[in-house]
Amino acid sequence: MTDIHLDHISFEYGRREILSDFTLTLPGAGVTILRGPSGCGKTTLLRLLAGLEQPRSGQITGVCPRETAFLFQENRLLPWRTAEQHLTDVLPRDRREEAERWLALTELTGEEHSYPAALSGGMCRRLALARCLALGGRLYLLDEPFAGVDPQRASRIMTGLRALPAPVLLTSHEYHILSLAHRVIDLDGPPLRVV
């Protein structure tokens, strides 16, 4: 994938300016962590890349929103679907082995028939991540994928993310995974800026 370019992007919620003439180039490969304080604009940046928000001005190139897989901060799990069904719902037919692969990567093997109510908070977060990965795409946008996940497990999952063929852009406050990313971009704001 080619690099992703955000050129002179401006965006606001109401009167609050979140991005102002913001420019950044993101690599089209590997795992990149966006790190910054809560409320600085990291989630808005991901939402702009996914096409969930539109900039007031500026241009985003190198990414097609229809080809992104987005992990929201909320798990958004369906209480009536099992862990495996959450994945098979987004996979092409007859791809059960693919579901097993993503459950293994997120360390949920053995929970195929469990419903969200039977899973811990960290397990639900990992199931939401597994579903996002199963959805696929040319770019993974992950908003706080390791919230509630213990450090050792998060580190192992990060190793799996590094092996994905598509680039991964994630936000995180977990310092223990920073060294496992290909690059870390420090941000501050609002308005969002590179430190």
Side-chain angles (χ1 to χ4, degrees):
M1 185 173 170
T2 59
D3 288 350
I4 300 163
H5 301 280
L6 296 101
D7 295 309
H8 305 287
I9 300 296
S10 293
F11 179 84
E12 56 273 322
Y13 285 116
R15 294 185 176 183
R16 185 172 184 210
E17 195 171 47
I18 309 299
L19 288 87
S20 177
D21 199 35
F22 181 81
T23 296
L24 178 66
T25 296
L26 297 164
V31 177
T32 301
I33 293 179
L34 301 176
R35 180 176 64 166
S38 294
C40 73
K42 302 183 303 295
T43 295
T44 300
L45 177 59
L46 292 185
R47 291 179 64 85
L48 286 162
L49 291 170
L52 299 173
E53 304 288 356
Q54 297 300 315
R56 178 174 49 80
S57 61
Q59 186 175 16
I60 300 173
T61 56
V63 60
C64 176
R66 290 188 310 276
E67 297 176 348
T68 63
F70 195 97
L71 175 67
F72 294 90
Q73 282 189 14
E74 312 83 26
N75 294 328
R76 301 184 180 197
L77 300 176
L78 304 174
W80 58 89
R81 303 297 281 167
T82 65
E84 184 177 68
Q85 288 169 334
H86 273 89
L87 276 62
T88 56
D89 286 347
V90 301
L91 286 166
R93 291 187 185 276
D94 303 321
R95 299 294 291 273
R96 187 172 182 169
E97 72 284 350
E98 192 81 10
E100 294 169 1
R101 171 189 171 205
W102 298 118
L103 289 171
L105 189 149
T106 54
E107 301 193 3
L108 288 169
T109 300
E111 300 294 342
E112 293 86 348
H113 305 295
S114 298
Y115 291 91
L119 302 175
S120 69
M123 293 169 85
C124 284
R125 191 65 187 146
R126 287 185 279 131
L127 176 55
L129 174 59
R131 180 181 56 189
C132 176
L133 297 175
L135 181 61
R138 298 187 61 191
L139 172 65
Y140 291 102
L141 301 168
L142 311 178
D143 201 355
E144 298 292 342
F146 301 117
V149 179
D150 65 88
Q152 295 80 14
R153 184 169 278 124
S155 296
R156 292 191 297 268
I157 294 171
M158 269 292 287
T159 300
L161 295 180
R162 286 175 56 97
L164 293 175
V168 177
L169 181 62
L170 65 92
T171 66
S172 182
H173 291 102
E174 285 80 18
Y175 286 94
H176 54 273
I177 65 165
L178 296 178
S179 63
L180 299 173
H182 292 101
R183 67 206 55 82
V184 177
I185 298 174
D186 285 305
L187 300 167
D188 203 355
L192 190 68
R193 63 185 182 278
V194 177
V195 177

